Amino acid sequence: MASDSELVIETLGRIAADPASWDALLDLLPEDDGAPVSGAGGEAAVAWAQSAALAQHRRGDGDPQAAATEAGWIVLSERDRVVSFNPQAAAAFEPLGRLALDRPLDWAREANAVIAGAALRRVRAGERQLIVRLETGDGAPRFAFASAVGSVPLPPGADAGGALAGLVFPAVDEGSRLWGVVRDSFGLTEAEVRVARLLRDGLSMQQIAERLDVSARTVRNQLQSVFAKLGVQRQSDLVRALTELAGVNRALHGPGFGEASAGAFADAPPVLGATLADGRTLAYREYGAPSGRPVLILHGTPGSSLLPSGTDARARALGLRLVAPDRPGFGLSSPSPDYSFAGVAADMVALADHLGLERLAVGGAHSGAAFALHVAARLGARATLVMASSGRAPGPPPRDRNRLARMRRRMEAQPWVAEALFGIVRLRHTPQLTRRLLGKAAAHSPGDAAFLAASPWVVDYVHGYAAEALAQGSRGAAAEMQAFRTAAHEAPELACPLILWSGAEDAIIPARSFADYARVRPTEARVIEGIGHYMPMKHWFEILERLAAPPPPP
């Protein structure tokens, strides 16, 4: 079944990279009242992939923009605990061990821990950069830079939290300032560096000999020395390693790292972490005044604790203390064995307890709104208010809604498709893909389209928080889709006022469905004209102002 599985993945990859083709996914997935496909290797999955492959046009090597990637960085504190990392680092570290916020690197091989630890001590002692060679289970070595924290390419505004060093993993790309670091890290001679560089550039041994005016035997001996010093066995491994290291070197020295999401992270507070009773980590950010009125803010899907730029200053001015957590499996929060509305609500209440929040309001947008109801219900008398913005109710979307809602309904019926599609989007996540997805969703609302055209920051912001959301993989997003499908279409009883805001043009999440789900008459309901699904972004600061105002009487 290997070739069948490859067909499934290849087809999903082409669909995920081109939102214009997502309509094909809707046409090909079975209706949600049928039996779900059990896995990507099943006969139904292969038949579906074959149909999808016939419906798609091949695009050669794919979108060159989608192929572009950034280096992966891990920032470490003086005690070698993880302060921060990006999605590329999470993917790069996966074959080497486990990566978790506010914990030491959990190396699968002790030898790698020793090698990396020695390099980090050296850069803390004053050496700017070193290259470390790390072993993986497949026998192919992986290389990374150990670097002083000042040269680790954090997104603008990110807080290193007092960390002194970091590891930077390469993305496959070209670069031009690599060779001195290679020489110093592995003790290569100038002649060996010249040979390695020409080999990386695609020359054969005979061509290298002619270029350097030496014998082929001399080139062969120098390459054997390079192999031994870098610890690689094959010429292909050497070329791959040098090419990847060139890419991370460019990220360290050149402009452009994180430019796509620079605005999104410009004033974002650092990610913090709380340890739950079962040992899991719940990541969160705090915005605004530390002694202000506390509000728990729950993100949509896929989303993270990253809120729009300017939130920290506006919340501080309004006297609000916003706590924005990553739900389990999203961002830097550990996955949960019980991803359900009740399970997530228990985690959020535990976070409130950890922070000493006695009385608090709860807000949520899109998918986060339903979780806000469950959290407020679990808080009981401690909840002062729930504010739901463009809230999406659990259960299948109405059958007469737009194609994006219908596609989500069918994806929820096919769990393997949801996880695979989110996984491929994660790997190919670019600002260009984000822009196309936003444009496709905005096509259903003239107000959304106008807002998107007039607000270039939206692409940066959505690109940034979606990248954070999928940092650990796609299972969190897929688990949430399943939670929405299997949950009872009845919200728990609330003991506090409920405010509902929605966009009049929202064809993806109709306002009436969430009001019906809530089961209680909202204390305040507002339908905003001239905007649709993007209402929470366009009116974000107004939402904060409403949260800062006195709660309406119950």
Side-chain angles (χ1 to χ4, degrees), residues 462-474:
V462 174
H463 174 65
Y465 81 61
E468 281 200 341
L470 300 174
Q472 297 187 63
S474 60

Side-chain angles (χ1 to χ4, degrees), residues 103-374:
R103 297 188 181 184
L105 295 173
D106 186 2
W107 297 95
R109 293 171 176 250
E110 181 63 26
N112 288 339
V114 173
I115 292 169
L120 291 168
R121 286 192 294 273
R122 287 174 62 182
V123 298
R124 287 193 180 101
E127 295 190 49
R128 182 173 172 79
Q129 294 165 10
L130 289 170
I131 296 172
V132 293
R133 177 184 181 276
L134 305 168
E135 296 291 344
T136 62
D138 60 9
R142 184 176 293 276
F143 293 87
F145 277 75
S147 179
V149 75
S151 61
V152 171
L154 289 170
D159 188 345
L164 298 179
L167 291 174
V168 186
F169 292 85
V172 179
D173 198 351
E174 291 300 319
S176 60
R177 301 186 181 185
L178 170 69
W179 305 101
V181 184
V182 171
R183 180 192 62 231
D184 295 341
S185 297
F186 296 101
L188 270 62
T189 66
E190 292 290 348
E192 291 166 349
V193 168
R194 285 195 296 270
V195 168
R197 184 170 190 170
L198 292 173
L199 181 68
R200 197 286 312 268
D201 290 341
L203 275 66
S204 66
M205 284 195 290
Q206 185 60 44
Q207 291 170 325
I208 294 172
E210 294 172 358
R211 175 76 64 88
L212 298 178
D213 195 23
V214 297
S215 69
R217 181 174 181 179
T218 297
V219 172
R220 185 177 296 106
N221 290 339
Q222 289 172 338
L223 280 178
Q224 287 175 346
S225 178
V226 172
F227 289 172
K229 291 179 180 179
L230 268 69
V232 296
Q233 303 296 323
R234 297 170 296 187
Q235 180 174 319
S236 60
D237 288 340
L238 178 63
V239 172
R240 178 185 60 80
L242 295 177
T243 301
E244 291 182 350
L245 286 170
V248 75
N249 187 74
R250 187 179 74 170
L252 285 165
H253 291 288
F257 184 93
E259 284 180 356
S261 298
F265 292 95
D267 57 357
V271 178
L272 306 173
T275 302
L276 302 176
D278 60 0
R280 289 182 295 119
T281 296
L282 197 64
Y284 65 97
R285 284 184 170 98
E286 289 205 31
Y287 301 77
S291 59
R293 181 184 302 172
V295 182
L296 191 68
I297 298 292
L298 301 177
H299 59 73
T301 307
S304 74
S305 60
L306 185 66
L307 299 179
S309 180
T311 294
D312 188 56
R314 184 63 64 92
R316 193 178 299 272
L318 292 170
L320 293 176
R321 178 188 180 185
L322 305 181
V323 178
D326 294 336
R327 285 197 289 280
F330 288 91
L332 301 182
S333 290
S334 305
S336 171
D338 174 23
Y339 200 99
S340 62
F341 282 95
V344 171
D347 287 346
M348 299 303 140
V349 172
L351 176 61
D353 294 342
H354 170 80
L355 296 174
L357 306 180
E358 291 298 326
R359 299 269 290 166
L360 64 153
V362 186
H366 297 150
S367 298
F371 286 98
L373 296 183
H374 284 262

